[in-house]
Amino acid sequence: MPAQAITKSELNQLSYLQVKGTGLANRCSEVIGEDTITPKGGSRIVDLCIEPKAWAVEEEIGKGGKTEKKFVNSKVMTRQTYTLEGIEGSIKTDGGVITFVEEEGIDYAPTTVQLPGGERVPFLFTVKELVAKGNGGAFKPGFQMGGDFSVPSYRTGLFLDPKGRGGTTGYDMAVALPGLQSGEEGDAELFKENNKTFDVGQGRIEMEVNKVNAEESEIGGVFVASQPGDTDMGSKVPKKILTKGIFYAKIQ
């Protein structure tokens, strides 16, 4: 097994103090085996864990007078808290095709990545309200499922910017600049800074199962997700973030 790979049963044998400070709590468990699990009616996915391993940000790159959009590999700045964990939801099998509907769990994680030039891009890594449709009726190596999810605002309405302006609280304009903001046209250039919004975007994830352990009812595999980044409460255009990594889940 690869270094640091640990199965769920091995992880469950460790005490809190053995895990504390090691980074293991931010890892998804590995699955051993290539079996098949066919979910019955009323089955659920529980303990879904999604661990990103690589991040890229879409940037406009100029070359010879032309600009094209490319994903630029970036470095994660967040400490060991960016993995989604304990997510669960129901499995429906309509016409022999599995559909997973996400319901609850630690399904969001504020994350920041840094581009090669030093620019930092915050985003809310999430799979909230995910509805993932599969390409078959059984979990086995090669099974794929994917779907859209909601991406809530990185900041909530209670957040105050450096001038004390917020979405649901705080000042409604920068108090030191009253002359700029009064009258008919004054507010125009500061409109987006003054009028905070809670933007909800949409992302998409594709998952592929490559390991199945029928005895433990576990599945594991890889995922690719794309989603918008932070809009700074409506004042910036969000960047597109691409995330790749591994996932683990238990079928109940």
Side-chain angles (χ1 to χ4, degrees):
M1 286 178 76
Q4 289 184 324
I6 186 165
T7 63
K8 194 72 166 180
S9 57
E10 288 169 343
L11 187 63
N12 290 340
Q13 290 164 20
L14 299 178
S15 69
Y16 170 75
L17 285 174
Q18 284 172 309
V19 173
K20 186 184 175 195
T22 62
L24 272 178
N26 192 49
R27 301 270 169 271
C28 289
S29 305
E30 297 279 328
V31 179
I32 301 166
E34 297 194 347
D35 310 326
T36 300
I37 298 175
T38 307
K40 303 176 188 69
S43 286
R44 290 176 68 76
I45 284 183
V46 295
D47 286 341
L48 172 61
C49 170
I50 299 175
E51 180 192 343
K53 297 269 195 192
W55 298 260
V57 179
E58 191 176 58
E59 286 284 88
E60 282 197 359
I61 294 170
K63 240 189 197 165
K66 286 188 198 146
T67 59
E68 55 174 345
K69 288 188 172 180
K70 268 193 175 163
F71 280 102
V72 178
N73 286 334
S74 54
K75 184 170 85 175
V76 69
M77 291 283 114
T78 307
R79 291 172 118 171
Q80 305 280 304
T81 59
Y82 51 76
T83 291
L84 308 183
E85 172 68 87
I87 297 168
E88 57 179 271
S90 54
I91 299 173
K92 298 187 180 83
T93 43
D94 297 327
V97 174
I98 291 172
T99 303
F100 167 62
V101 180
E102 190 267 346
E103 287 164 6
E104 59 181 333
I106 302 174
D107 55 10
Y108 65 96
T111 308
T112 301
V113 293
Q114 183 170 295
L115 293 166
E119 184 189 352
R120 293 191 171 177
V121 182
F123 66 103
L124 192 76
F125 178 54
T126 182
V127 288
K128 276 186 179 291
E129 298 171 0
L130 168 67
V131 178
K133 266 196 157 59
N135 63 354
F139 294 109
K140 56 178 191 266
F143 172 84
Q144 292 174 338
M145 64 178 182
D148 295 335
F149 55 84
S150 294
V151 183
S153 171
Y154 181 80
R155 304 259 186 231
T156 66
L158 294 175
F159 175 77
L160 297 180
D161 74 5
K163 293 194 169 62
R165 298 168 295 194
T168 55
T169 180
Y171 294 115
D172 56 4
M173 62 183 196
V175 180
L177 306 168
L180 267 178
Q181 298 166 103
S182 58
E184 293 294 308
E185 319 234 321
D187 194 34
E189 58 192 85
L190 289 169
F191 183 83
K192 282 185 169 171
E193 291 288 349
N194 286 339
N195 296 275
K196 309 288 189 192
T197 57
F198 187 94
D199 293 325
V200 180
Q202 192 182 55
R204 184 162 182 90
I205 187 168
E206 299 290 338
M207 307 160 96
E208 180 171 348
V209 174
N210 56 24
K211 291 273 188 274
V212 180
N213 183 336
E215 194 183 342
E216 300 278 349
S217 298
E218 295 175 336
I219 60 170
V222 292
F223 80 90
V224 179
S226 68
Q227 65 169 89
D230 175 35
T231 66
D232 205 7
M233 301 190 78
S235 63
K236 291 193 182 79
V237 177
K239 292 182 186 293
K240 194 174 181 186
I241 321 268
L242 191 71
T243 316
K244 297 176 182 176
I246 61 169
F247 74 91
Y248 162 92
K250 220 174 164 73
I251 315 297
Q252 195 171 292

